[in-house]
Amino acid sequence: MADEILRVNQLHYVVQDGEQQFTLLNQIHFNVYSGESVAIVGASGSGKSTLLSMLAGLDTPTSGSIVLNGRDVTQMSEDERAQLRAHQIGFVFQTFQLLDHLSALENVMLAAQLSALPDKRQQCFDALARVGLSNRVHHTPKTLSGGEQQRVALARAFVRKPAIVFADEPTGSLDVATGEQGIEKMFELQQQANTTLILVTHDEGLASRCDRRLTVVQGSVTEQVVV
Ligand SMILES: Nc1ncnc2c1ncn2[C@@H]1O[C@H](COP(=O)(O)OP(=O)(O)OP(=O)(O)O)[C@@H](O)[C@H]1O
Ligand SMILES: [Mg+2]
């Protein structure tokens, strides 16, 4: 049996907007084992991105715990969470969020520099090679296609060999075929490094490729067993 990498317990998140209170996450509870791929699905506005940013330590819940590799993220200081993200977490954003003035290599280097990786520059070249971008390392994002930008974002997320990668709609605004090529790469990288992968998607095909599926309905999570 694989080790448990993530345990989410009674996760609750309420925001106050003037007089009104909104419960964005409602007593969420689930576990994820090392090496699993988990799809988070649900209607627009159900709370998927909110949940993902909590899990990645980008936001703090009102109550509940998120134990990642044995440590409760919700009890960490800002600095400790930054360290956690630098060493153990990779993130792929819907809009990829590459820095425009940096080359593909420099974008990946930025992530690697925060890590304890040896021989960082070579590791970044290798990460870009694994996503088929050896001939684009010195291109800036504006001179890359959407699909190429997605692959730079994947190289950046995986270069530190993180324990867990979070991806929020990683096919972004790409057309179906281009998005799928990137997704193939993502699963390849995940399997090579035995990374745990938690991704938010509206794409049924992508969700069905994952080991498990969690559905978010108005801030609550239910699990459907994938057969
Ligand atoms: N700080 C906030 N204050 C009030 N409401 C918020 C805040 N942040 C998010 N919301 C609301 O919480 C709900 C969940 O937002 P979230 O971005 O997590 O949805 P989502 O499931 O990722 O949707 P989509 O599929 O459209 O990306 C939305 O209704 C959103 O408007
Ligand atoms: Mg979202």
Side-chain angles (χ1 to χ4, degrees):
M1 183 91 157
D3 295 332
E4 185 179 86
I5 186 166
L6 181 69
R7 173 182 289 258
V8 178
N9 224 329
Q10 305 305 324
L11 187 69
H12 206 70
Y13 184 47
V14 180
V15 293
Q16 186 90 32
D17 188 3
E19 296 283 284
Q20 276 192 303
Q21 277 201 342
F22 296 97
T23 302
L24 302 192
L25 300 176
N26 192 8
Q27 303 295 341
I28 290 173
H29 185 91
F30 63 91
N31 303 347
V32 177
Y33 291 94
S34 186
E36 275 191 310
S37 55
V38 180
I40 297 177
V41 300
S44 181
S46 57
K48 305 180 298 296
S49 296
T50 307
L51 174 60
L52 211 64
S53 45
M54 294 287 164
L55 301 182
L58 294 166
D59 241 322
T60 317
T62 308
S63 58
S65 62
I66 299 165
V67 180
L68 186 63
N69 256 346
R71 292 188 62 205
D72 188 349
V73 179
T74 64
Q75 300 300 314
M76 290 181 184
S77 66
E78 289 271 344
D79 275 359
E80 286 173 323
R81 282 189 283 144
Q83 284 294 319
L84 177 82
R85 286 196 298 274
H87 295 287
Q88 295 200 44
I89 293 177
F91 211 103
V92 183
F93 299 92
Q94 179 172 13
T95 52
F96 312 137
Q97 298 199 6
L98 302 175
L99 295 180
D100 275 343
H101 60 289
L102 298 180
S103 68
L105 180 63
E106 288 162 342
N107 266 286
V108 180
M109 283 288 285
L110 214 54
Q113 264 155 9
L114 298 170
S115 74
L117 280 181
D119 206 1
K120 295 183 175 54
R121 195 176 164 82
Q122 188 57 47
Q123 299 263 7
C124 292
F125 273 110
D126 293 348
L128 286 162
R130 281 196 290 274
V131 294
L133 289 180
S134 289
N135 57 351
R136 293 283 188 280
V137 291
H138 299 303
H139 285 236
T140 55
K142 282 204 178 87
T143 65
L144 294 170
S145 71
E148 288 167 342
Q149 290 178 33
Q150 178 200 32
R151 284 184 277 149
V152 175
L154 289 172
R156 181 179 59 183
F158 280 89
V159 69
R160 297 183 295 221
K161 302 188 172 48
I164 189 160
V165 167
F166 296 101
D168 196 348
E169 299 186 31
T171 46
S173 47
L174 302 174
D175 65 75
V176 174
T178 308
E180 271 173 10
Q181 285 166 17
I183 294 306
E184 285 305 320
K185 286 285 169 206
M186 187 172 70
F187 281 108
E188 246 174 68
L189 295 171
Q190 184 224 349
Q191 266 148 30
Q192 278 163 12
N194 196 34
T195 313
T196 306
L197 179 63
I198 300 189
L199 59 88
V200 165
T201 185
H202 284 285
D203 178 341
E204 177 54 34
L206 174 52
S208 61
R209 287 198 53 173
C210 294
D211 298 325
R212 287 167 58 197
R213 176 186 310 219
L214 303 176
T215 306
V216 187
V217 180
Q218 293 180 357
S220 295
V221 165
T222 53
E223 174 153 16
Q224 295 156 261
V225 176
V226 182
V227 285

